[in-house]
Amino acid sequence: MGRDTIADIITSIRNADMDRKVTVRIASTNITENIVKILLREGFIETRPGLRIYSNYQRIPRILGGMGIVILSTSRGIMTDREARLERIGGEILCYIWGVLPGMKEQKWIHEGLITESLPNGMFRVRLDNENMILGYVSGKIRRSFIRILPGDRVKIEVSRYDSTKGRIIYRIRNKDSNN
């Protein structure tokens, strides 16, 4: 039974990242060099190794709506899904890559909004200042401190860049006319 060098590379990098190691030693081949170049350029570490899929350029999957990448082996070398679509060529899907750069937190946007409706289980419908309606939920210090949030309150809400339809309420903005 042969070795899956691509899975070994990705697994070595993932294990080193989980152990917070600064360096990783892997065998040097043309394939590993090209994959490492793509990983350095794109900055993502996570994969599903061992799955062999061949795809034409129109059917290459989009990972997290374009937030992740697919690394392919094509007739013109190893490249990302974006490059393969631009060159209109398909190939063997080597791995899927997504995640947050090591040592970095997921990027989130903070918006201000108005609570328009109270829903069950600490959920609220929030109209943001840009007029978008999203689902807000209470967690963290606000939930632990039993801070009461009612329709009509202004709040700060933290929204993930991956799902802009819901967010975490992180702060209730005090009304100027009330003593609370």
Side-chain angles (χ1 to χ4, degrees):
M1 181 179 226
R3 288 184 53 171
D4 188 353
T5 56
I6 296 164
D8 291 344
I9 295 164
I10 302 299
T11 301
S12 296
I13 294 170
R14 184 177 51 235
N15 290 342
D17 179 52
M18 289 190 324
D19 289 342
R20 302 194 193 300
K21 302 232 179 189
V22 179
T23 60
V24 179
R25 289 180 183 238
I26 54 177
S28 178
T29 65
N30 288 339
I31 290 176
T32 59
E33 186 177 327
N34 288 326
I35 288 175
V36 169
K37 282 180 184 176
I38 289 173
L39 291 174
L40 285 172
R41 187 175 67 223
E42 297 291 330
F44 299 104
I45 304 291
E46 190 135 348
T47 186
R48 288 176 43 198
L51 183 62
R52 290 194 177 268
I53 299 173
Y54 297 89
S55 178
N56 66 17
Y57 76 94
Q58 295 165 326
R59 295 183 189 254
I60 298 171
R62 294 187 189 274
I63 307 300
L64 292 175
M67 300 304 292
I69 64 169
V70 177
I71 298 179
L72 297 114
S73 176
T74 68
S75 59
R76 296 186 192 153
I78 296 177
M79 60 180 65
T80 66
D81 58 331
R82 287 180 226 121
E83 295 166 338
R85 282 190 198 96
L86 285 174
E87 295 190 27
R88 301 176 73 107
I89 57 173
E92 178 187 355
I93 295 175
L94 299 177
C95 59
Y96 303 100
I97 310 290
W98 71 93
V100 180
L101 290 170
M104 289 181 61
K105 286 188 171 181
E106 178 185 342
Q107 266 190 339
K108 300 195 181 203
W109 295 303
I110 296 178
H111 296 280
E112 288 188 14
L114 180 71
I115 302 290
T116 59
E117 182 182 358
S118 179
L119 302 169
N121 298 325
M123 305 283 272
F124 300 90
R125 197 150 326 274
V126 181
R127 184 183 327 111
L128 300 179
D129 289 345
N130 62 7
E131 297 301 319
N132 289 345
M133 291 292 284
I134 68 170
L135 188 65
Y137 58 92
V138 180
S139 68
K141 288 183 180 179
I142 290 183
R143 183 180 284 275
R144 283 193 306 269
S145 303
F146 300 105
I147 294 174
R148 183 176 294 197
I149 297 176
L150 301 169
D153 285 346
R154 291 202 43 83
V155 294
K156 284 188 181 180
I157 190 163
E158 186 178 71
V159 181
S160 168
R161 66 180 182 172
Y162 297 116
D163 186 6
S164 60
T165 63
K166 62 184 173 189
R168 183 170 67 104
I169 297 172
I170 58 172
Y171 187 75
R172 185 187 71 176
I173 300 171
R174 295 178 186 252
N175 293 335
K176 293 179 182 170
D177 58 339
S178 72
N179 294 335
N180 296 356

